[in-house]
Amino acid sequence: MKLFKLSFTVLTFLFCFHSISAQEEEMKPKKYDNPEYYVITYLKFDTGKTQSAKKIIKDYFAAAGENAGIPGPAMMLDLVTGEWDMMITWQLKDGLEALNWEISPEDVKWGKAFHELAGSPEKAEEINKEWQSYVKSSKTQLARRYQSSN
């Protein structure tokens, strides 16, 4: 059995090495055609706080975006299995260039709309602190939409 495993491993390595060697002759630099980038945030809420968190999303965060004319998330999902409660995905319409902003013009527009909706910057800060008190943990990832190669 050990001999079979060793032989299989060696044959697999030789096949992969041959494939890579053959590809090296054909390999050329290639950029993605019109890549689409997304930011994905996973949220875990404190027990019993999911509905309160969703109310803040609806009444303040989404409403501020709508009032500012800023597109909302590409997708929001309630996760029914696993460690996370919600997944929110935003498309980076300017691609990776969007990551070069510390505070983007859209962030400024959204912030002003949020302050107006809340009634004042101080009230907006209170709402933001309340939101943060509901979030037990979060994780954010960057993704590129899959493109099959032709």
Side-chain angles (χ1 to χ4, degrees), residues 13-27:
F13 173 76
L14 290 174
F15 175 76
C16 291
F17 180 75
H18 174 73
S19 295
I20 291 170
S21 297
Q23 288 177 0
E24 283 181 8
E25 295 172 18
E26 302 169 10
M27 289 178 60

Side-chain angles (χ1 to χ4, degrees), residues 41-121:
T41 298
Y42 297 89
L43 297 162
K44 175 73 175 169
F45 299 114
D46 278 329
T47 304
K49 299 298 182 181
T50 301
Q51 293 309 313
S52 298
K54 287 180 179 181
K55 183 167 176 36
I56 289 177
I57 291 171
K58 179 180 174 268
D59 293 349
Y60 292 100
F61 298 163
E66 191 174 312
N67 291 351
I70 297 170
M75 188 179 341
M76 289 180 66
L77 298 172
D78 288 324
L79 302 176
V80 295
T81 63
E83 66 182 288
W84 304 102
D85 296 318
M86 181 179 276
M87 182 182 89
I88 305 173
T89 304
W90 290 270
Q91 183 177 12
L92 298 178
K93 69 175 182 142
D94 296 326
L96 294 178
E97 178 61 28
L99 301 177
N100 290 327
W101 291 95
E102 186 173 342
I103 300 174
S104 73
E106 283 190 343
D107 292 339
V108 172
K109 285 171 48 177
W110 183 89
K112 288 179 179 178
F114 180 45
H115 292 170
E116 186 176 310
L117 195 59
S120 71

